[in-house]
Amino acid sequence: MVEEISNTELQELIFIIQHQYGYDFSDYAQASLKRRFIRFMGHAQLEKLAELKLQLQTDPDFFKKMVEYITVNVTEMFRDPQFYQLLRDDVLPRLATYPIIKIWHAGCATGEEVYSMAIMLQEAGLLERSRIYATDMNAANLEKANTGIVPLRWMKDYTHNYIQSGGLHDFSDYYTARYDSAIINPALRRNIIFFQHNLVTDHVFNEFQLICCRNVFIYFNRTLQERVVTLFYDSLAPRGYLALGMKESLLFSKERKKFEVVNGPNKIFRRKY
Amino acid sequence: MHSSTRFDIIAIGGSAGSLSVVARLLKALPGEMDTPVVLIMHRLKNVSSELNRLLAFGRPIQEPEDKERMKAGHIYLAPQNYHLLLEADGTFSLDYSELVHYSRPAIDESFYSIADAYGKRALGILLSGANADGAEGLARIVKNGGAGIVQDPMEAEFRIMPQAAIDMSADIKIMKTDEIISFIKDQYHTK
């Protein structure tokens, strides 16, 4: 089993992927990217790095599976309830002043946070005039997100998160349980569009009042974070909101002066002008 | 005045029964020591821990943000819900992927990245705990030329964690808490 990947080996892998498939991982954070490759090799039961390279060079389906595996897709509904409470209490009332509310979930993984947002918009009476654009680079994630099916075993945790976030309804009203799955109420999905967008290479596609990109930055190095902050700035309406993960920061970005801090601990920022 | 030492990072992992030991170690750190310390403790998901309050002696303990640069003499605590990784340039990278050993943060994940980025300049310490998280990571630190210490299983409240590391590598030092303290102090005798 491979335990370690040297920097040179990592560069070789990045080069093969870029050369052959056009995906650029060169500005991902090295420590976590190495870790993902090592974990994937264990998952694919590959003993040697040479086998991984060979498979990558000869089998596009294998590459596809690898990208799906190495791009992290761990998420939760109402992850960090206090963040959702702030959205509910402080951000949504401000968004309510817009005739159409456009929200971008960048790096939405399997959509759990997107559906959480839809639930809050519904409860605030705003879902009808909201448009949620949910993007990810991983097509398998989007397919899964689009089904609105969540493993039932997580619903207990999600219900707890929902209540902690200040949710006052019966959470089970938002899904139908069938066998071991929970199917999110289709009415919540009516204004959500899922599509592929890669933060590394793709560009501005609309203007938003709120961008949520939580726990995506952590996989990028500072260079790539800088690019994405600029992309978000350009994608926000003046005074539009940006929400990052609890331990992600704009502190290290040159662009930080273009944003004001709405809530420091919960990483809610606002484009200044 | 800075004291010279072979270590650029001290990483301490612990689980059940390790909190009081960590407190003793931190209290005993030499005042002139400027090597940063990184703590990886198993904690409950979504429950704000009392660690910070319990461990607040003299030096502040901070949860690093993603891409924050490690500073001399600071003590860092792995934030709940993230694996804490170290990059070769001395910045932290956080990772929100699968639990490892039912835990996030996992001690192994931090230790692996430290072994990779710091090699012989790393000191890893593994304390009491009721599962084997950290054992492979500590063995990796030692394999890459760093130093590895476990709390003596005879002293540890839960012996599984240190014992797992001992079973994995013969080069790991076994010490009681007092001995770990002396070992660290010896490193920092101004030369």
Side-chain angles (χ1 to χ4, degrees), chain B residues 5-188:
Chain B
T5 165
R6 59 178 277 219
F7 300 117
D8 286 347
I9 185 169
I10 298 176
I12 304 175
S15 188
S18 68
L19 200 60
S20 60
V21 184
V22 169
R24 278 184 62 200
L25 290 179
L26 293 183
K27 272 187 205 167
L29 289 180
E32 74 278 14
M33 186 185 107
D34 58 4
T35 310
V37 178
V38 177
L39 305 173
I40 309 100
M41 315 282 292
H42 288 167
R43 306 163 76 187
L44 284 171
K45 192 165 168 282
N46 280 346
V47 173
S48 181
S49 169
E50 297 231 316
L51 263 183
N52 244 309
R53 191 180 61 79
L54 278 172
L55 297 181
F57 319 101
R59 300 178 197 225
I61 295 170
Q62 49 195 130
E63 293 188 359
E65 303 221 312
D66 180 56
K67 301 299 169 305
E68 186 168 336
R69 189 172 297 279
M70 222 169 42
K71 289 194 201 82
H74 284 231
I75 299 171
Y76 297 94
L77 174 67
Q80 59 185 332
N81 272 335
Y82 292 92
H83 296 304
L84 180 68
L85 311 180
L86 256 299
E87 299 280 359
D89 66 359
T91 58
F92 291 101
S93 270
L94 297 170
D95 179 305
Y96 192 97
S97 57
E98 308 85 353
L99 306 185
V100 173
H101 295 289
Y102 308 100
S103 184
R104 192 177 54 215
I107 302 164
D108 270 341
E109 297 302 334
S110 297
F111 280 9
Y112 292 152
S113 76
I114 288 166
D116 185 21
Y118 285 83
K120 62 180 177 18
R121 294 172 291 121
L123 168 61
I125 301 172
L126 193 62
L127 306 173
S128 167
N131 75 7
D133 187 20
E136 280 190 54
L138 192 66
R140 183 80 56 81
I141 287 177
V142 170
K143 185 185 143 212
N144 286 10
I149 299 173
V150 289
Q151 183 184 9
D152 188 338
M154 302 297 284
E155 183 199 69
E157 196 174 327
F158 294 87
R159 56 176 296 154
I160 294 174
M161 190 174 271
Q163 189 61 50
I166 294 167
D167 293 345
M168 215 157 274
S169 164
D171 297 323
I172 289 171
K173 301 173 179 54
I174 304 165
M175 297 182 182
K176 294 192 164 46
T177 309
D178 288 335
E179 295 168 319
I180 301 175
I181 290 169
S182 314
F183 178 88
I184 295 175
K185 281 188 171 155
D186 285 347
Q187 304 299 311
Y188 292 91

Side-chain angles (χ1 to χ4, degrees), chain A residues 1 3-7 28-36 38-39 69 72-76 79-81 157 161 164 215 217-222 225 245-252 264 267, chain B residues 45-46 62-69 71 77-83 85-89 91-100 104 106 108-110 112-113 115-117 136 140 143-144:
Chain A
M1 212 189 82
E3 293 184 333
E4 289 177 271
I5 295 179
S6 72
N7 292 348
Y28 274 58
Q30 283 207 351
S32 52
L33 187 60
K34 280 184 183 176
R35 175 170 184 271
R36 298 310 297 169
I38 291 166
R39 286 186 74 85
Y69 189 90
V72 175
N73 45 37
V74 177
T75 179
E76 274 174 43
R79 163 161 70 180
D80 309 314
D157 283 349
N161 284 354
Q164 288 223 303
N215 296 312
F217 268 36
I218 49 178
Y219 303 109
F220 299 162
N221 70 12
R222 285 196 197 190
Q225 288 188 356
M246 302 298 272
K247 290 289 165 190
E248 293 174 322
S249 179
L250 285 183
L251 267 185
F252 314 116
K267 303 296 157 33
Chain B
K45 192 165 168 282
N46 280 346
Q62 49 195 130
E63 293 188 359
E65 303 221 312
D66 180 56
K67 301 299 169 305
E68 186 168 336
R69 189 172 297 279
K71 289 194 201 82
L77 174 67
Q80 59 185 332
N81 272 335
Y82 292 92
H83 296 304
L85 311 180
L86 256 299
E87 299 280 359
D89 66 359
T91 58
F92 291 101
S93 270
L94 297 170
D95 179 305
Y96 192 97
S97 57
E98 308 85 353
L99 306 185
V100 173
R104 192 177 54 215
D108 270 341
E109 297 302 334
S110 297
Y112 292 152
S113 76
D116 185 21
E136 280 190 54
R140 183 80 56 81
K143 185 185 143 212
N144 286 10

